[in-house]
Amino acid sequence: MYVNHLLFWVKMIKTPAFKGISFFLSLLLSHFKSAMENCTIIFDYYERVYDRALTDSERELINNIFRRETIKKKQIIFGSGEINTRHYFVAKGLLRLYVVDAAGKEFNILFAIENQWIGDLATPDETLFYLDAIEKSVVYSVTDENLNILTNNFSSFVSYLKKAYIFLQKRLVSILINTAEENYEELRISHPELLKRLPQYHISSYLGVTPVFLSKILAKRARKKD
Amino acid sequence: MYVNHLLFWVKMIKTPAFKGISFFLSLLLSHFKSAMENCTIIFDYYERVYDRALTDSERELINNIFRRETIKKKQIIFGSGEINTRHYFVAKGLLRLYVVDAAGKEFNILFAIENQWIGDLATPDETLFYLDAIEKSVVYSVTDENLNILTNNFSSFVSYLKKAYIFLQKRLVSILINTAEENYEELRISHPELLKRLPQYHISSYLGVTPVFLSKILAKRARKKD
DNA sequence: TATTTTTCTTAAACTAGTTTATTTTTTTGA
DNA sequence: TCAAAAAAATAAACTAGTTTAAGAAAAATA
């Protein structure tokens, strides 16, 4: 899963629609003319994805945008509250994306091993998550901004897809972390109108519990208010 | 949440990169020159999203691509196993997307009320879900294909975002539907290598249970094998 | 408005999963 | 290679959530 799209943009920037940002690319390309062998694993990855060899300028672009990093075991790459987190391609090792609840308990959302991507698609917004290494790892990272500059022209569609993804991610997290009672409370606060319109058994199903148990929760809530 | 991108494409098709598909659009436009007032709710929606009036040709395009449907209460719009499901914009009413487990138990994934989108982003692949109406509803639907023809040029990025979404959706469904034991079994079959590399407490966290409980599950499994 | 159907409540016995604590096994690193 | 630290197993008492079933309340419909 995740996004392997660099080469696509490499192609896109050659179309007239992208002429406007070419000055930015030349700037990028003029830096770091060194260390071509640096990113061989990323080159391999894209050559596999696109089933052809990369051109020199494509290799140069990858070299300039990606940053090679070595991550120690248990090293935290980014944490909750950070903005502008990067996307990570794992060359070697094992990373995990997780969330920590109020009691300090951790819930893993996603793992990534060799040749997989990991990160928070919600970036550049503030992340809820932590990313750390389970094994000593070598990764290639790239900022969301570097990718977005190339994608501004169709950001509308992508941003809506992203929103859908983030919504689902939040729901998964709620169900992992909270009790049904807490999730009900959250729903009541965020969607009071919807709650009024939904038969109770549909709410219980959304919360992942039986109608009988939701009824118990509500009876308990009503008792508390007296 | 979901995707409101039509107007974006209306703009895109005017760029040189999209000249190649303009013949398709003329074909589309030549049909159904009637019933302009048909889609007013969709017009309003896009005018709100883009904060400007729509042109006549934009309105015509919307009219031709979207299909107005009236859905009776409890009417099933699509069901598990169907391919090429449509995307639905709710003009009036209340829809739900849900999944049914082997015992026939239903789990709601998503609701949509007025001015929200609902559907299965996995389309045109076979869907796992059911979509039906909780209230009598009026919707505007559009095929994934109609949208994809306009987006082929950047499908690589979009398809990867979609895959990420679908992956997460499956995980949510598993956690709602299956016991921790069943989810462990699924993980063991689909990712045996990963399982070997992960410390047990990380697996338990991914499954949404405590390490103690996962240990119980494993002890039980080991006992069974004797 | 009376009747039928659907939804909600309550209860009781049950199962899945948690918590806390102790012991054993495995891994790490000097 | 040996000590220390981390991970896994086990036990026991607990809580969150399920199941089945029956009755009450609310909603739909003739």
Side-chain angles (χ1 to χ4, degrees):
Chain A
M1 65 163 296
Y2 218 67
V3 192
N4 53 7
H5 36 225
L6 219 208
L7 261 197
F8 160 64
W9 285 312
V10 166
K11 265 157 53 191
M12 278 305 266
I13 61 174
K14 291 172 182 166
T15 70
F18 289 88
K19 278 282 156 59
I21 51 117
S22 64
F23 83 97
F24 166 79
L25 289 174
S26 355
L27 264 179
L28 257 183
L29 289 170
S30 67
H31 291 293
F32 312 107
K33 290 254 178 190
S34 57
M36 222 34 159
E37 65 295 340
N38 189 2
C39 281
T40 45
I41 287 174
I42 300 275
F43 298 158
D44 290 351
Y45 169 73
Y46 282 113
E47 290 189 340
R48 237 177 301 125
V49 167
Y50 288 93
D51 197 24
R52 64 164 177 84
L54 297 179
T55 68
D56 279 354
S57 65
E58 284 166 353
R59 283 165 183 262
E60 206 170 350
L61 185 63
I62 287 173
N63 245 307
N64 292 332
I65 283 180
F66 280 85
R67 187 168 81 192
R68 187 182 197 273
E69 298 176 49
T70 305
I71 316 290
K72 275 179 269 184
K73 190 169 172 172
K74 295 193 184 175
Q75 184 181 334
I76 293 175
I77 299 169
F78 64 68
S80 174
E82 283 186 39
I83 55 165
N84 244 296
T85 61
R86 300 169 74 96
H87 302 281
Y88 295 83
F89 180 86
V90 181
K92 182 86 194 69
L94 175 53
L95 303 187
R96 68 170 178 138
L97 186 74
Y98 61 103
V99 64
V100 181
D101 74 6
K105 204 167 155 189
E106 297 177 3
F107 294 82
N108 294 325
I109 302 305
L110 193 63
F111 301 109
I113 60 172
E114 285 80 10
N115 294 312
Q116 296 185 327
W117 285 95
I118 195 165
D120 183 8
L121 272 173
T123 195
D125 281 357
E126 187 176 322
T127 183
L128 295 166
F129 301 105
Y130 291 80
L131 181 66
D132 76 7
I134 294 174
E135 302 173 357
K136 184 185 178 202
S137 303
V138 177
V139 301
Y140 291 87
S141 72
V142 61
T143 64
D144 194 62
E145 199 196 4
N146 263 339
L147 301 182
N148 273 336
I149 284 168
L150 303 177
T151 59
N152 269 347
N153 286 47
F154 46 88
S155 65
S156 151
F157 177 67
V158 170
S159 79
Y160 277 92
L161 248 182
K162 271 190 167 190
K163 275 181 199 158
Y165 181 88
I166 291 159
F167 174 86
L168 209 61
Q169 195 167 59
K170 279 189 187 148
R171 238 199 106 186
L172 178 67
V173 168
S174 307
I175 284 183
L176 284 176
I177 290 189
N178 304 320
T179 61
E181 188 169 357
E182 289 163 336
N183 283 327
Y184 177 82
E185 196 56 29
E186 200 174 296
L187 195 59
R188 199 185 57 82
I189 288 161
S190 59
H191 296 285
E193 8 48 64
L194 183 62
L195 226 57
K196 272 172 220 143
R197 282 168 68 174
L198 285 173
Q200 221 165 281
Y201 63 90
H202 276 323
I203 299 170
S204 68
S205 163
Y206 185 80
L207 295 173
V209 297
T210 56
V212 176
F213 190 64
L214 178 56
S215 177
K216 262 195 199 172
I217 290 172
L218 296 178
K220 193 176 146 198
R221 279 170 53 84
R223 247 179 289 128
K224 269 187 193 164
K225 279 190 183 154
D226 302 337
Chain B
M1 64 162 295
Y2 218 66
V3 193
N4 52 8
H5 36 224
L6 218 209
L7 260 197
F8 159 65
W9 285 313
V10 166
K11 267 155 53 190
M12 278 305 265
I13 60 173
K14 291 172 182 165
T15 70
F18 288 88
K19 278 282 156 59
I21 52 116
S22 63
F23 83 97
F24 166 78
L25 288 174
S26 354
L27 263 179
L28 256 183
L29 290 170
S30 68
H31 291 292
F32 313 107
K33 290 254 180 192
S34 60
M36 220 35 158
E37 64 295 340
N38 188 1
C39 282
T40 46
I41 288 174
I42 300 276
F43 299 157
D44 290 350
Y45 170 73
Y46 283 112
E47 291 189 340
R48 240 177 299 124
V49 168
Y50 289 92
D51 197 25
R52 65 163 176 84
L54 297 179
T55 67
D56 278 356
S57 66
E58 284 166 353
R59 283 162 184 262
E60 207 170 347
L61 184 63
I62 287 171
N63 246 307
N64 292 331
I65 283 180
F66 280 84
R67 186 167 81 191
R68 187 182 197 274
E69 299 176 48
T70 305
I71 315 290
K72 275 179 267 182
K73 190 169 172 171
K74 296 194 182 172
Q75 183 182 333
I76 292 174
I77 298 169
F78 64 69
S80 175
E82 284 187 38
I83 55 164
N84 244 295
T85 61
R86 299 169 74 95
H87 302 282
Y88 294 83
F89 180 86
V90 181
K92 183 84 194 71
L94 176 52
L95 303 187
R96 67 169 179 139
L97 186 75
Y98 61 104
V99 63
V100 181
D101 74 7
K105 205 168 153 186
E106 297 177 3
F107 294 82
N108 295 324
I109 302 304
L110 192 63
F111 301 109
I113 59 172
E114 285 80 10
N115 294 312
Q116 295 185 330
W117 285 95
I118 196 165
D120 183 8
L121 273 173
T123 194
D125 282 357
E126 187 175 322
T127 184
L128 296 166
F129 301 103
Y130 291 80
L131 180 67
D132 77 7
I134 293 174
E135 302 173 359
K136 184 185 178 205
S137 303
V138 177
V139 301
Y140 290 86
S141 72
V142 61
T143 65
D144 194 62
E145 198 196 4
N146 264 341
L147 300 182
N148 274 336
I149 284 167
L150 303 176
T151 58
N152 269 346
N153 285 48
F154 46 89
S155 65
S156 150
F157 179 66
V158 169
S159 79
Y160 277 92
L161 247 182
K162 270 190 168 190
K163 275 182 198 157
Y165 182 87
I166 290 159
F167 174 87
L168 208 62
Q169 194 166 250
K170 280 190 186 146
R171 237 198 108 186
L172 178 67
V173 168
S174 308
I175 284 183
L176 284 175
I177 289 189
N178 304 321
T179 61
E181 189 169 355
E182 289 163 336
N183 284 327
Y184 177 82
E185 196 55 29
E186 200 174 296
L187 196 58
R188 199 185 56 82
I189 289 161
S190 60
H191 297 284
E193 8 47 65
L194 184 62
L195 226 56
K196 271 173 221 145
R197 283 168 67 175
L198 285 173
Q200 220 166 281
Y201 63 90
H202 276 323
I203 300 169
S204 68
S205 163
Y206 185 81
L207 295 173
V209 297
T210 57
V212 177
F213 190 64
L214 178 56
S215 176
K216 262 194 199 172
I217 290 172
L218 295 178
K220 194 176 145 197
R221 279 171 51 86
R223 245 178 291 128
K224 268 187 193 163
K225 279 191 184 152
D226 304 336

